[in-house]
CSV table of all heavy atoms in Angstrom, one decimal:
chain,number,residue,atom,x,y,z
K,714,ASN,N,107.4,60.3,157.2
K,714,ASN,CA,107.8,61.0,155.9
K,714,ASN,C,108.9,62.0,156.2
K,714,ASN,O,108.6,63.2,156.5
K,714,ASN,CB,106.6,61.6,155.2
K,714,ASN,CG,107.0,62.2,153.9
K,714,ASN,OD1,108.0,61.8,153.3
K,714,ASN,ND2,106.1,63.1,153.4
K,715,ILE,N,110.1,61.6,156.2
K,715,ILE,CA,111.2,62.5,156.4
K,715,ILE,C,111.3,63.6,155.3
K,715,ILE,O,111.1,63.3,154.1
K,715,ILE,CB,112.5,61.7,156.5
K,715,ILE,CG1,112.9,61.5,158.0
K,715,ILE,CG2,113.7,62.4,155.8
K,715,ILE,CD1,114.2,60.8,158.2
K,716,THR,N,111.5,64.8,155.7
K,716,THR,CA,111.6,65.9,154.7
K,716,THR,C,112.9,66.7,154.7
K,716,THR,O,113.1,67.6,154.0
K,716,THR,CB,110.4,67.0,155.0
K,716,THR,OG1,110.6,67.5,156.3
K,716,THR,CG2,109.1,66.3,154.8
K,717,SER,N,113.8,66.2,155.5
K,717,SER,CA,115.2,66.8,155.5
K,717,SER,C,116.2,65.7,155.7
K,717,SER,O,115.8,64.6,156.1
K,717,SER,CB,115.3,67.8,156.7
K,717,SER,OG,115.1,67.2,157.9
K,718,GLY,N,117.5,66.0,155.4
K,718,GLY,CA,118.5,64.9,155.4
K,718,GLY,C,118.5,64.2,154.1
K,718,GLY,O,117.6,64.3,153.2
K,719,ARG,N,119.4,63.3,153.9
K,719,ARG,CA,119.6,62.6,152.6
K,719,ARG,C,118.5,61.7,152.3
K,719,ARG,O,118.2,61.4,151.2
K,719,ARG,CB,121.0,61.9,152.6
K,719,ARG,CG,122.1,62.9,152.7
K,719,ARG,CD,123.5,62.1,152.8
K,719,ARG,NE,123.7,61.3,151.6
K,719,ARG,CZ,124.8,60.5,151.5
K,719,ARG,NH1,125.7,60.5,152.5
K,719,ARG,NH2,125.0,59.8,150.5
K,720,ALA,N,117.8,61.1,153.3
K,720,ALA,CA,116.7,60.2,153.1
K,720,ALA,C,115.5,60.9,152.5
K,720,ALA,O,114.6,60.3,152.0
K,720,ALA,CB,116.3,59.5,154.3
K,721,ALA,N,115.5,62.3,152.5
K,721,ALA,CA,114.4,63.0,152.0
K,721,ALA,C,114.2,63.0,150.5
K,721,ALA,O,113.2,63.3,150.0
K,721,ALA,CB,114.5,64.5,152.5
K,722,MET,N,115.3,62.5,149.8
K,722,MET,CA,115.2,62.4,148.4
K,722,MET,C,114.1,61.4,147.9
K,722,MET,O,113.6,61.4,146.8
K,722,MET,CB,116.5,62.0,147.7
K,722,MET,CG,117.0,60.6,148.0
K,722,MET,SD,118.4,60.1,147.1
K,722,MET,CE,117.8,60.0,145.4
K,723,TYR,N,113.7,60.5,148.8
K,723,TYR,CA,112.7,59.4,148.5
K,723,TYR,C,111.3,59.9,148.9
K,723,TYR,O,111.0,59.9,150.1
K,723,TYR,CB,113.1,58.1,149.2
K,723,TYR,CG,114.5,57.6,148.9
K,723,TYR,CD1,115.5,57.7,149.9
K,723,TYR,CD2,114.9,57.2,147.6
K,723,TYR,CE1,116.7,57.2,149.7
K,723,TYR,CE2,116.2,56.7,147.4
K,723,TYR,CZ,117.1,56.8,148.4
K,723,TYR,OH,118.4,56.3,148.2
K,724,ASP,N,110.5,60.2,148.0
K,724,ASP,CA,109.1,60.4,148.2
K,724,ASP,C,108.4,59.1,147.9
K,724,ASP,O,107.9,58.9,146.8
K,724,ASP,CB,108.6,61.6,147.3
K,724,ASP,CG,107.2,62.0,147.6
K,724,ASP,OD1,106.5,61.2,148.3
K,724,ASP,OD2,106.8,63.1,147.2
K,725,ASP,N,108.3,58.3,148.9
K,725,ASP,CA,107.8,56.9,148.7
K,725,ASP,C,106.4,56.9,148.1
K,725,ASP,O,106.1,56.1,147.1
K,725,ASP,CB,107.7,56.1,150.0
K,725,ASP,CG,109.1,55.9,150.6
K,725,ASP,OD1,110.1,56.3,150.0
K,725,ASP,OD2,109.2,55.2,151.6
K,726,ALA,N,105.5,57.8,148.5
K,726,ALA,CA,104.1,57.8,148.0
K,726,ALA,C,104.1,58.1,146.5
K,726,ALA,O,103.4,57.5,145.7
K,726,ALA,CB,103.3,58.8,148.8
K,727,ALA,N,104.9,59.2,146.2
K,727,ALA,CA,105.0,59.6,144.8
K,727,ALA,C,105.7,58.6,143.9
K,727,ALA,O,105.3,58.3,142.8
K,727,ALA,CB,105.7,60.9,144.7
K,728,LEU,N,106.7,58.0,144.4
K,728,LEU,CA,107.5,57.0,143.7
K,728,LEU,C,106.7,55.7,143.4
K,728,LEU,O,107.0,55.0,142.5
K,728,LEU,CB,108.8,56.6,144.4
K,728,LEU,CG,109.9,57.7,144.5
K,728,LEU,CD1,111.0,57.3,145.4
K,728,LEU,CD2,110.4,58.1,143.1
K,729,SER,N,105.7,55.4,144.3
K,729,SER,CA,104.9,54.2,144.1
K,729,SER,C,104.0,54.2,142.9
K,729,SER,O,103.5,53.2,142.4
K,729,SER,CB,104.1,53.9,145.4
K,729,SER,OG,103.0,54.9,145.5
K,730,VAL,N,103.8,55.4,142.3
K,730,VAL,CA,103.0,55.5,141.1
K,730,VAL,C,103.7,55.0,139.9
K,730,VAL,O,103.2,54.1,139.2
K,730,VAL,CB,102.5,56.9,141.0
K,730,VAL,CG1,101.6,57.1,139.7
K,730,VAL,CG2,101.7,57.4,142.2
K,731,PRO,N,104.8,55.5,139.5
K,731,PRO,CA,105.5,55.0,138.3
K,731,PRO,C,106.2,53.7,138.5
K,731,PRO,O,106.3,52.9,137.5
K,731,PRO,CB,106.5,56.2,137.9
K,731,PRO,CG,106.8,56.8,139.2
K,731,PRO,CD,105.6,56.7,140.1
K,732,SER,N,106.7,53.4,139.7
K,732,SER,CA,107.5,52.2,139.9
K,732,SER,C,106.6,51.0,140.0
K,732,SER,O,105.5,51.0,140.4
K,732,SER,CB,108.3,52.3,141.2
K,732,SER,OG,109.1,53.5,141.2
K,733,ASP,N,107.2,49.9,139.5
K,733,ASP,CA,106.5,48.6,139.6
K,733,ASP,C,106.7,48.0,141.0
K,733,ASP,O,105.9,47.2,141.5
K,733,ASP,CB,106.9,47.7,138.5
K,733,ASP,CG,106.5,48.2,137.1
K,733,ASP,OD1,105.3,48.0,136.7
K,733,ASP,OD2,107.4,48.8,136.5
K,734,TYR,N,108.0,48.2,141.5
K,734,TYR,CA,108.3,47.7,142.8
K,734,TYR,C,109.1,48.8,143.6
K,734,TYR,O,109.9,49.5,142.9
K,734,TYR,CB,109.2,46.5,142.8
K,734,TYR,CG,108.7,45.3,142.0
K,734,TYR,CD1,109.3,44.9,140.8
K,734,TYR,CD2,107.6,44.6,142.4
K,734,TYR,CE1,108.8,43.9,140.1
K,734,TYR,CE2,107.0,43.6,141.7
K,734,TYR,CZ,107.7,43.2,140.5
K,734,TYR,OH,107.2,42.1,139.8
K,735,LEU,N,108.9,48.9,144.9
K,735,LEU,CA,109.7,49.8,145.7
K,735,LEU,C,110.4,48.9,146.8
K,735,LEU,O,109.7,48.3,147.6
K,735,LEU,CB,109.0,50.9,146.4
K,735,LEU,CG,108.9,52.2,145.6
K,735,LEU,CD1,107.8,52.0,144.5
K,735,LEU,CD2,108.6,53.4,146.5
K,736,PHE,N,111.7,48.7,146.7
K,736,PHE,CA,112.5,47.8,147.5
K,736,PHE,C,113.0,48.6,148.8
K,736,PHE,O,113.8,49.4,148.6
K,736,PHE,CB,113.6,47.2,146.8
K,736,PHE,CG,114.2,45.9,147.4
K,736,PHE,CD1,113.9,44.7,146.9
K,736,PHE,CD2,115.0,46.0,148.5
K,736,PHE,CE1,114.5,43.5,147.5
K,736,PHE,CE2,115.5,44.9,149.1
K,736,PHE,CZ,115.3,43.6,148.6
K,737,VAL,N,112.4,48.3,149.9
K,737,VAL,CA,112.7,49.0,151.2
K,737,VAL,C,113.8,48.3,151.9
K,737,VAL,O,113.7,47.1,152.3
K,737,VAL,CB,111.5,49.1,152.1
K,737,VAL,CG1,111.8,49.9,153.3
K,737,VAL,CG2,110.3,49.7,151.3
K,738,LEU,N,114.9,49.0,152.2
K,738,LEU,CA,116.1,48.4,152.9
K,738,LEU,C,115.8,48.5,154.4
K,738,LEU,O,116.3,49.4,155.1
K,738,LEU,CB,117.4,49.2,152.5
K,738,LEU,CG,117.6,49.3,151.0
K,738,LEU,CD1,118.9,50.2,150.8
K,738,LEU,CD2,117.7,48.0,150.3
K,739,ASP,N,115.1,47.4,154.9
K,739,ASP,CA,114.7,47.5,156.3
K,739,ASP,C,115.7,46.8,157.2
K,739,ASP,O,115.4,45.8,157.9
K,739,ASP,CB,113.3,46.8,156.4
K,739,ASP,CG,112.6,47.2,157.7
K,739,ASP,OD1,113.2,47.9,158.5
K,739,ASP,OD2,111.5,46.7,158.0
K,740,TRP,N,116.9,47.4,157.3
K,740,TRP,CA,117.9,46.9,158.2
K,740,TRP,C,119.0,48.0,158.4
K,740,TRP,O,119.0,49.0,157.7
K,740,TRP,CB,118.6,45.6,157.8
K,740,TRP,CG,119.4,45.6,156.5
K,740,TRP,CD1,120.8,45.9,156.5
K,740,TRP,CD2,119.0,45.4,155.2
K,740,TRP,NE1,121.2,45.8,155.2
K,740,TRP,CE2,120.1,45.5,154.4
K,740,TRP,CE3,117.8,45.1,154.6
K,740,TRP,CZ2,120.1,45.3,153.0
K,740,TRP,CZ3,117.7,44.9,153.2
K,740,TRP,CH2,118.9,45.0,152.4
K,741,GLY,N,119.9,47.8,159.3
K,741,GLY,CA,121.0,48.8,159.5
K,741,GLY,C,120.9,49.5,160.9
K,741,GLY,O,121.5,50.5,161.1
K,742,LEU,N,120.1,48.9,161.8
K,742,LEU,CA,120.0,49.5,163.1
K,742,LEU,C,121.3,49.5,163.8
K,742,LEU,O,121.6,50.5,164.6
K,742,LEU,CB,118.9,48.8,163.9
K,742,LEU,CG,118.6,49.4,165.3
K,742,LEU,CD1,118.1,50.8,165.2
K,742,LEU,CD2,117.6,48.5,166.0
K,743,HIS,N,122.1,48.4,163.7
K,743,HIS,CA,123.5,48.4,164.1
K,743,HIS,C,124.3,48.1,162.9
K,743,HIS,O,123.9,47.4,162.0
K,743,HIS,CB,123.6,47.3,165.2
K,743,HIS,CG,122.9,47.6,166.5
K,743,HIS,ND1,121.6,47.2,166.7
K,743,HIS,CD2,123.3,48.3,167.6
K,743,HIS,CE1,121.2,47.6,167.9
K,743,HIS,NE2,122.2,48.3,168.4
K,744,TRP,N,125.5,48.6,162.9
K,744,TRP,CA,126.4,48.5,161.8
K,744,TRP,C,127.8,48.3,162.3
K,744,TRP,O,128.1,48.1,163.5
K,744,TRP,CB,126.3,49.8,160.9
K,744,TRP,CG,126.6,51.1,161.6
K,744,TRP,CD1,127.8,51.7,161.6
K,744,TRP,CD2,125.8,51.8,162.5
K,744,TRP,NE1,127.7,52.9,162.3
K,744,TRP,CE2,126.5,52.9,162.9
K,744,TRP,CE3,124.5,51.6,163.0
K,744,TRP,CZ2,126.0,53.9,163.8
K,744,TRP,CZ3,123.9,52.6,163.8
K,744,TRP,CH2,124.7,53.7,164.2
K,745,THR,N,128.8,48.2,161.4
K,745,THR,CA,130.2,47.8,161.7
K,745,THR,C,130.8,48.7,162.7
K,745,THR,O,131.6,48.2,163.6
K,745,THR,CB,131.0,47.7,160.4
K,745,THR,OG1,131.0,48.9,159.7
K,745,THR,CG2,130.6,46.6,159.5
K,746,THR,N,130.6,50.0,162.7
K,746,THR,CA,131.2,50.9,163.7
K,746,THR,C,130.3,51.4,164.8
K,746,THR,O,130.6,52.3,165.5
K,746,THR,CB,131.8,52.1,162.9
K,746,THR,OG1,130.8,52.8,162.2
K,746,THR,CG2,132.9,51.7,162.0
K,747,SER,N,129.1,50.7,164.9
K,747,SER,CA,128.3,51.0,166.1
K,747,SER,C,128.6,50.0,167.2
K,747,SER,O,129.5,49.2,167.0
K,747,SER,CB,126.8,50.8,165.7
K,747,SER,OG,126.5,49.5,165.5
K,748,GLY,N,127.9,50.1,168.3
K,748,GLY,CA,128.0,49.1,169.3
K,748,GLY,C,127.3,47.8,168.8
K,748,GLY,O,126.5,47.8,167.9
K,749,PRO,N,127.6,46.7,169.5
K,749,PRO,CA,126.9,45.4,169.1
K,749,PRO,C,125.4,45.4,169.2
K,749,PRO,O,124.9,46.1,170.1
K,749,PRO,CB,127.6,44.4,170.0
K,749,PRO,CG,128.8,45.0,170.5
K,749,PRO,CD,128.5,46.5,170.6
K,750,GLY,N,124.7,44.7,168.4
K,750,GLY,CA,123.3,44.6,168.5
K,750,GLY,C,122.7,44.0,167.2
K,750,GLY,O,123.4,43.8,166.2
K,751,GLY,N,121.4,43.7,167.3
K,751,GLY,CA,120.8,43.2,166.1
K,751,GLY,C,120.7,44.1,164.9
K,751,GLY,O,120.5,45.3,165.1
K,752,LEU,N,120.9,43.6,163.7
K,752,LEU,CA,121.0,44.5,162.5
K,752,LEU,C,119.6,45.0,162.2
K,752,LEU,O,119.5,46.1,161.6
K,752,LEU,CB,121.5,43.7,161.3
K,752,LEU,CG,123.0,43.4,161.2
K,752,LEU,CD1,123.5,42.6,162.3
K,752,LEU,CD2,123.3,42.8,159.9
K,753,ASP,N,118.6,44.3,162.6
K,753,ASP,CA,117.2,44.7,162.3
K,753,ASP,C,116.3,44.4,163.4
K,753,ASP,O,115.3,43.7,163.2
K,753,ASP,CB,116.7,44.1,161.0
K,753,ASP,CG,116.8,42.5,161.0
K,753,ASP,OD1,117.3,42.0,162.0
K,753,ASP,OD2,116.2,41.9,160.1
K,754,GLU,N,116.6,44.9,164.6
K,754,GLU,CA,115.8,44.5,165.8
K,754,GLU,C,114.3,44.6,165.5
K,754,GLU,O,113.9,45.6,164.9
K,754,GLU,CB,116.3,45.3,167.0
K,754,GLU,CG,117.7,45.0,167.4
K,754,GLU,CD,118.1,45.7,168.7
K,754,GLU,OE1,117.3,46.5,169.2
K,754,GLU,OE2,119.3,45.6,169.1
K,755,LEU,N,113.6,43.7,166.0
K,755,LEU,CA,112.2,43.6,165.6
K,755,LEU,C,111.3,44.8,165.9
K,755,LEU,O,110.5,45.2,165.0
K,755,LEU,CB,111.6,42.3,166.2
K,755,LEU,CG,110.1,42.0,165.8
K,755,LEU,CD1,110.1,41.8,164.3
K,755,LEU,CD2,109.6,40.8,166.5
K,756,PRO,N,111.4,45.5,167.1
K,756,PRO,CA,110.6,46.6,167.3
K,756,PRO,C,110.8,47.7,166.2
K,756,PRO,O,109.8,48.3,165.7
K,756,PRO,CB,111.0,47.1,168.7
K,756,PRO,CG,111.5,45.9,169.3
K,756,PRO,CD,112.2,45.1,168.3
K,757,TRP,N,112.0,47.9,165.9
K,757,TRP,CA,112.3,48.9,164.8
K,757,TRP,C,111.9,48.4,163.5
K,757,TRP,O,111.3,49.2,162.7
K,757,TRP,CB,113.8,49.2,164.8
K,757,TRP,CG,114.2,50.2,163.8
K,757,TRP,CD1,114.1,51.6,163.8
K,757,TRP,CD2,114.9,49.9,162.6
K,757,TRP,NE1,114.6,52.1,162.6
K,757,TRP,CE2,115.1,51.1,161.9
K,757,TRP,CE3,115.3,48.7,162.0
K,757,TRP,CZ2,115.8,51.1,160.6
K,757,TRP,CZ3,116.0,48.7,160.7
K,757,TRP,CH2,116.2,49.9,160.1
K,758,PHE,N,112.2,47.2,163.1
K,758,PHE,CA,111.8,46.6,161.9
K,758,PHE,C,110.3,46.7,161.7
K,758,PHE,O,109.8,47.0,160.6
K,758,PHE,CB,112.3,45.1,161.8
K,758,PHE,CG,112.0,44.4,160.5
K,758,PHE,CD1,113.0,44.4,159.5
K,758,PHE,CD2,110.8,43.8,160.3
K,758,PHE,CE1,112.7,43.7,158.3
K,758,PHE,CE2,110.5,43.2,159.1
K,758,PHE,CZ,111.5,43.1,158.1
K,759,LYS,N,109.6,46.4,162.8
K,759,LYS,CA,108.1,46.4,162.7
K,759,LYS,C,107.6,47.8,162.4
K,759,LYS,O,106.6,48.0,161.7
K,759,LYS,CB,107.5,45.8,164.0
K,759,LYS,CG,106.0,45.7,164.0
K,759,LYS,CD,105.5,45.0,165.3
K,759,LYS,CE,104.0,44.9,165.3
K,759,LYS,NZ,103.5,44.3,166.5
K,760,ARG,N,108.2,48.8,163.1
K,760,ARG,CA,107.7,50.2,162.9
K,760,ARG,C,107.9,50.6,161.4
K,760,ARG,O,107.0,51.3,160.8
K,760,ARG,CB,108.4,51.2,163.8
K,760,ARG,CG,108.2,50.9,165.3
K,760,ARG,CD,109.0,51.9,166.1
K,760,ARG,NE,108.5,53.2,166.1
K,760,ARG,CZ,109.0,54.3,166.7
K,760,ARG,NH1,110.2,54.1,167.4
K,760,ARG,NH2,108.5,55.5,166.6
K,761,VAL,N,109.0,50.3,160.8
K,761,VAL,CA,109.2,50.6,159.4
K,761,VAL,C,108.2,49.9,158.6
K,761,VAL,O,107.6,50.4,157.6
K,761,VAL,CB,110.7,50.2,159.0
K,761,VAL,CG1,110.9,50.3,157.5
K,761,VAL,CG2,111.7,51.0,159.8
K,762,ALA,N,108.0,48.6,158.9
K,762,ALA,CA,107.1,47.8,158.1
K,762,ALA,C,105.6,48.4,158.1
K,762,ALA,O,104.9,48.5,157.1
K,762,ALA,CB,107.1,46.3,158.5
K,763,GLU,N,105.2,48.7,159.3
K,763,GLU,CA,103.8,49.2,159.5
K,763,GLU,C,103.7,50.6,158.8
K,763,GLU,O,102.6,50.9,158.3
K,763,GLU,CB,103.5,49.3,161.0
K,763,GLU,CG,103.4,47.9,161.7
K,763,GLU,CD,103.2,48.0,163.2
K,763,GLU,OE1,103.5,49.1,163.7
K,763,GLU,OE2,102.8,47.0,163.8
K,764,TYR,N,104.7,51.4,158.9
K,764,TYR,CA,104.6,52.7,158.1
K,764,TYR,C,104.6,52.4,156.6
K,764,TYR,O,103.8,53.1,155.9
K,764,TYR,CB,105.8,53.6,158.5
K,764,TYR,CG,105.9,54.8,157.6
K,764,TYR,CD1,105.1,55.9,157.8
K,764,TYR,CD2,106.9,54.9,156.6
K,764,TYR,CE1,105.2,57.0,157.0
K,764,TYR,CE2,107.0,56.0,155.8
K,764,TYR,CZ,106.1,57.1,156.0
K,764,TYR,OH,106.2,58.1,155.1
K,765,THR,N,105.4,51.5,156.1
K,765,THR,CA,105.4,51.2,154.7
K,765,THR,C,104.0,50.7,154.3
K,765,THR,O,103.6,51.1,153.1
K,765,THR,CB,106.5,50.1,154.4
K,765,THR,OG1,107.8,50.6,154.8
K,765,THR,CG2,106.5,49.8,153.0
K,766,ALA,N,103.4,50.0,155.1
K,766,ALA,CA,102.1,49.4,154.7
K,766,ALA,C,101.0,50.5,154.6
K,766,ALA,O,99.9,50.2,154.1
K,766,ALA,CB,101.6,48.4,155.8
Side-chain angles (χ1 to χ4, degrees):
N714 185 22
I715 262 183
T716 57
S717 60
R719 293 174 64 180
M722 71 173 287
Y723 306 109
D724 186 344
D725 293 3
L728 292 171
S729 72
V730 176
S732 302
D733 296 280
Y734 305 113
L735 270 79
F736 197 104
V737 182
L738 309 177
D739 197 359
W740 68 90
L742 183 61
H743 294 90
W744 58 99
T745 53
T746 54
S747 75
L752 282 64
D753 58 351
E754 293 183 0
L755 186 59
W757 178 78
F758 183 95
K759 184 178 180 182
R760 294 178 73 184
V761 173
E763 290 174 342
Y764 171 74
T765 301

